[in-house]
Amino acid sequence: MSGEMNKIEKVRLGTDGPEVGVQGLGCMGMSFAYGPTDADEARATLERALELGITLYDTADAYAAGENEKFLAPFFKAHRDEVVIATKFALAVDPRDPAKRIINNDPAYIRQCIEGSLQRLGVDEIDLYYMHRRDVNVPIEETVGVMAEFVREGKVKHLGLSEVTGGELRAAQAVHPIAAVQSEWSLFSRDIEAGVVPAARELGVALVPYSPLGRGFLTGSFTSAEKDLTEDDFRRNQPRFNGDNAAANASLLDPVRKLAEGRNATLGQVALAWVQQQAQVHGLAVVPIPGTRKPTRVEENAAATRLLLTDTEMELLEPIASQVAGGRYADMTFTSAGRE
């Protein structure tokens, strides 16, 4: 197959949000967090993703201190009418310790962020602008109020939120329509199903799962961050990928591996198919954004949108999340699960 026939299906983010491919692309790793990267290969990955119908490209001002947005700018310029650009604000450098991050939802800071992102991305308008993390000292209504001003000013088309609780989403939606909520969601991370997913379904908001492959762990590409990953890889700081936790979690992949072998698929495709299928399970739009820097991997990921798991296979995968050892972050206070 070729052309339109080979492209993934489309879905709308939110009630009036943009139409995108049912799988997006997380771009953070192209210049940040996951060790060495090859810029030419990353650029080829962007182009291949678009050929496959992947149209939602996810970045943030915090990724490599804005360098990720700059890296993506030429690709966005070349394909402006074909892509949906998503970026985020709120993670700032701690002035007392440059090695640390803080969350800043101060209105004046948000205004600095939007101008910076527009400049680095080389666009007049951002398609989907997310609050990256919630500053609990600032009412969410105030933060979304500032974001809504950007829509009225023509700087942003649609609004999104990341790692918010169900209650915070409802409060935000009362101020301005929210197109999407981005949170971690995978076979290993299912905490959002308690409150966030029901609220999103009720309000007609899409879910954009990040790390749907468990930051690569669900693909079997590494079994211990300490042993298998480079020193500059931030997964070395995440509890579930280290020490006894990593060993225990590696054994949880056995049913995924068994299922993959039976379907002539990869572990990653089974894990992604499970996430994609949550759209039917929960009755809302779900657009995962697996990150990769390789064209072959983006082809593999896109093919997972066509892998339909049976009820029996879904039941086989159901117990995994409850057995995972270690949190998805060392500090969960910055996540929706830390506030639900």
Side-chain angles (χ1 to χ4, degrees), residues 28 31-33 59-68 88-105 109 132-135 232 234 237 329 331 333-334:
M28 178 179 78
S31 49
F32 177 69
T59 183
D61 62 1
Y63 299 161
E67 290 302 314
N68 194 239
K88 318 178 195 72
F89 71 88
L91 290 181
V93 174
D94 188 338
R96 295 162 297 183
D97 183 355
K100 288 185 177 180
R101 292 276 178 79
I102 58 171
I103 300 172
N104 191 342
N105 288 173
Y109 176 72
H132 205 159
R133 292 291 185 270
R134 166 96 203 280
D135 178 355
D232 58 349
F234 93 124
N237 300 317
Y329 293 101
D331 182 359
T333 60
F334 300 135

Side-chain angles (χ1 to χ4, degrees), residues 154-227:
K155 295 175 180 177
V156 170
K157 286 184 181 177
H158 307 285
L159 303 185
L161 303 169
S162 180
E163 289 288 1
V164 292
T165 67
E168 290 164 352
L169 175 57
R170 289 188 175 91
Q173 180 80 4
V175 176
H176 188 279
I178 303 298
V181 168
Q182 186 175 135
S183 274
E184 188 165 353
W185 199 5
S186 72
L187 282 171
F188 268 22
S189 301
R190 297 181 58 179
D191 50 74
I192 66 167
E193 292 174 30
V196 183
V197 171
R201 180 180 61 239
E202 172 193 322
L203 299 170
V205 177
L207 246 297
V208 176
Y210 71 81
S211 300
L213 293 171
R215 303 192 186 278
F217 196 88
L218 285 165
T219 69
S221 60
F222 73 100
T223 55
S224 167
E226 296 157 304
K227 298 174 184 175

Side-chain angles (χ1 to χ4, degrees), residues 33 127 137 141-142 240 245 290 304 309 321 324:
D127 299 309
N137 297 310
E141 294 88 348
E142 183 177 335
R240 62 177 50 164
N245 287 347
L309 303 178
V324 173

Side-chain angles (χ1 to χ4, degrees), residues 17-35:
E19 189 177 56
V20 298
V22 293
Q23 186 181 109
L25 182 64
C27 300
M28 178 179 78
M30 293 180 176
S31 49
F32 177 69
Y34 291 116

Side-chain angles (χ1 to χ4, degrees), residues 57-306:
Y57 294 81
D58 186 89
T59 183
D61 62 1
Y63 299 161
E67 290 302 314
N68 194 239
E69 290 178 323
K70 290 180 183 177
F71 173 77
L72 295 168
F75 171 73
F76 291 154
K77 182 179 181 180
H79 302 285
R80 187 64 190 100
D81 295 337
E82 304 168 78
V83 300
V84 174
I85 301 170
T87 192
K88 318 178 195 72
F89 71 88
L91 290 181
V93 174
D94 188 338
R96 295 162 297 183
D97 183 355
K100 288 185 177 180
R101 292 276 178 79
I102 58 171
I103 300 172
N104 191 342
N105 288 173
D106 178 73
Y109 176 72
I110 301 173
R111 288 207 161 272
Q112 288 179 19
C113 290
I114 187 69
E115 297 303 334
S117 285
L118 288 167
Q119 184 176 21
R120 287 186 295 271
L121 292 165
V123 297
D124 297 322
E125 189 174 37
I126 291 165
D127 299 309
L128 179 59
Y129 198 45
Y130 286 102
M131 178 189 75
H132 205 159
R133 292 291 185 270
R134 166 96 203 280
D135 178 355
V136 295
N137 297 310
V138 179
I140 195 162
E141 294 88 348
E142 183 177 335
T143 303
V144 176
V146 175
M147 297 168 71
E149 290 176 15
F150 299 154
V151 176
R152 290 191 290 272
E153 293 166 6
K155 295 175 180 177
V156 170
K157 286 184 181 177
H158 307 285
L159 303 185
L161 303 169
S162 180
E163 289 288 1
V164 292
T165 67
E168 290 164 352
L169 175 57
R170 289 188 175 91
Q173 180 80 4
V175 176
H176 188 279
I178 303 298
V181 168
Q182 186 175 135
S183 274
E184 188 165 353
W185 199 5
S186 72
L187 282 171
F188 268 22
S189 301
R190 297 181 58 179
D191 50 74
I192 66 167
E193 292 174 30
V196 183
V197 171
R201 180 180 61 239
E202 172 193 322
L203 299 170
V205 177
L207 246 297
V208 176
Y210 71 81
S211 300
L213 293 171
R215 303 192 186 278
F217 196 88
L218 285 165
T219 69
S221 60
F222 73 100
T223 55
S224 167
E226 296 157 304
K227 298 174 184 175
D228 303 334
L229 304 179
T230 56
E231 289 286 344
D232 58 349
D233 195 306
F234 93 124
R235 288 172 290 186
R236 291 171 68 99
N237 300 317
Q238 293 187 292
R240 62 177 50 164
F241 303 138
N242 293 284
D244 293 341
N245 287 347
N249 293 335
S251 68
L252 298 178
L253 297 182
D254 290 344
V256 185
R257 191 171 285 109
K258 178 183 176 183
L259 204 160
E261 290 171 356
R263 296 295 294 267
N264 194 28
T266 65
L267 275 73
Q269 286 176 325
V270 171
L272 270 177
W274 180 89
V275 178
Q276 300 276 176
Q277 221 154 308
Q278 298 311 303
Q280 287 73 49
V281 172
H282 293 280
L284 78 171
V286 176
V287 181
I289 49 169
T292 186
R293 302 173 286 201
K294 297 182 178 179
T296 53
R297 191 70 75 186
V298 86
E299 291 169 0
E300 175 188 327
N301 292 346
T305 66
R306 300 182 179 91

